[in-house]
Amino acid sequence: LFAVGDDDGGLRIFDTRQKKATVRWQESEDYISDLAFREDTGAICATSGEGTLAVYDVRKAGTKGLIAMSDFQEDELLSCCIMKGGKRVVCGSQSGVLAVFFWGDFGDQKDRIKGHPLSVDTMVKLDEETLLTGSSDGKVRVVGVYHHERNNSVVGIAADHGDYPLERLALSPCGGLFASVSHIQPAVKLWSMEVVEQILAGEVPGDAQDAAADAAADVDSDDSDEPPPPKRPKKTKKGKGVQRKNETQRLATGFFNKL
């Protein structure tokens, strides 16, 4: 089984043994930006460009399948990961803030992690309290989520793919490498996890941690006279004058193997 979100807010689950979708939902009004699956409950989280986080039961179709939907967050939600053993859902946003939702209470975000100067377009979980995030500035950052030492913070910069936004991050099966995908050539780059381990251990060269700290300070400061950095252009819905580039849909590949 695999899940697909579309540009119109629809979400479908397919069985490779059948030609048509086995389950369909249509609760969002704007594009589905990312998906995350919680295997122990059979729930799938979907972020949307309209600024909502929706949670569905993969065993139920239609409105019966909607477990919960957040209020509009006044910010596009672009990526998501389930953390802390299923207790937290972290969502990357257009503004660069990571919105943290508590499982079972999805009405509004309960915490915020600052430190990204531009939008957080992709993320991948390293463990239950550590994320890698990919941003519009082309940098891959190490982020602690209720970390036992780092709490909620951007810990350091693990890689710099280039000046173009990052579209996807992925871990190798062995856990020794991670990959980043961007529009700049080469589009796919592989990186060693050693630098991530050094950042978490406090052994990384100072410039990477200083750069992350400076970025966090810039984001949190209200005293600067400098204009804010340009944001990634927002996508507009079809039929409103500007045709949006088709959003590359995130597939929940491999999440449903055990269903």
Side-chain angles (χ1 to χ4, degrees):
L1 299 177
F2 62 94
V4 178
D6 63 34
D7 278 352
D8 297 317
L11 183 58
R12 292 170 288 174
I13 294 180
F14 289 89
D15 187 332
T16 56
R17 298 167 295 184
Q18 302 179 24
K19 294 183 178 180
K20 296 183 178 181
T22 58
V23 179
R24 296 173 180 265
W25 301 293
Q26 186 68 54
E27 300 294 336
S28 300
E29 297 182 358
D30 208 339
Y31 68 97
I32 302 298
S33 55
D34 203 5
L35 304 172
F37 183 64
R38 182 172 169 180
E39 187 173 346
D40 60 335
T41 63
I44 188 169
C45 297
T47 49
S48 172
E50 68 185 7
T52 59
L53 169 67
V55 185
Y56 301 91
D57 186 336
V58 299
R59 298 161 293 188
K60 299 177 182 180
T63 56
K64 294 181 179 179
L66 180 64
I67 298 173
M69 178 175 280
S70 74
D71 298 333
F72 292 98
Q73 300 301 301
E74 300 181 355
D75 199 356
E76 290 185 55
L77 300 183
L78 305 176
S79 53
C80 63
C81 267
I82 300 173
M83 305 289 291
K84 303 300 291 184
K87 296 179 181 179
R88 302 289 183 266
V89 181
V90 181
C91 300
S93 69
Q94 176 76 30
S95 66
V97 173
L98 297 183
V100 182
F101 293 85
F102 288 12
W103 194 273
D105 187 3
F106 292 102
D108 199 1
Q109 56 186 277
K110 296 299 188 292
D111 215 338
R112 293 158 62 86
I113 303 175
K114 298 181 179 180
H116 296 82
L118 296 174
S119 63
V120 181
D121 303 315
T122 180
M123 59 177 66
V124 64
K125 180 168 71 173
L126 298 183
D127 54 45
E128 296 299 334
E129 57 183 17
T130 314
L131 285 171
L132 289 182
T133 61
S135 185
S136 287
D137 61 0
K139 293 180 173 59
V140 180
R141 292 174 171 86
V142 183
V143 179
V145 180
Y146 299 97
H147 195 278
H148 66 284
E149 293 180 348
R150 305 291 185 172
N151 199 13
N152 291 341
S153 63
V154 176
V155 185
I157 297 173
D160 188 347
H161 193 118
D163 295 331
Y164 286 81
L166 289 171
E167 297 293 338
R168 174 60 65 183
L169 296 174
L171 299 179
S172 65
C174 67
L177 300 170
F178 68 91
S180 59
V181 181
S182 180
H183 294 289
I184 196 172
Q185 296 299 322
V188 179
K189 292 184 179 181
L190 297 178
W191 313 85
S192 172
M193 286 292 294
E194 289 183 3
V195 66
V196 175
E197 296 168 356
Q198 291 171 355
I199 289 173
L200 291 173
E203 300 172 355
V204 73
D207 53 354
Q209 292 192 13
D210 291 344
D214 290 344
D218 290 342
V219 170
D220 291 338
S221 175
D222 295 326
D223 300 328
S224 174
D225 295 329
E226 295 294 327
K231 293 183 178 180
R232 189 176 185 177
K234 288 191 175 184
K235 302 176 178 66
T236 49
K237 287 180 66 69
K238 297 176 181 177
K240 291 197 175 183
V242 180
Q243 185 177 5
R244 180 177 75 239
K245 182 183 75 173
N246 290 332
E247 174 76 7
T248 302
Q249 298 304 324
R250 276 61 172 176
L251 304 180
T253 305
F255 285 135
F256 302 95
N257 289 341
K258 297 184 180 180
L259 291 182

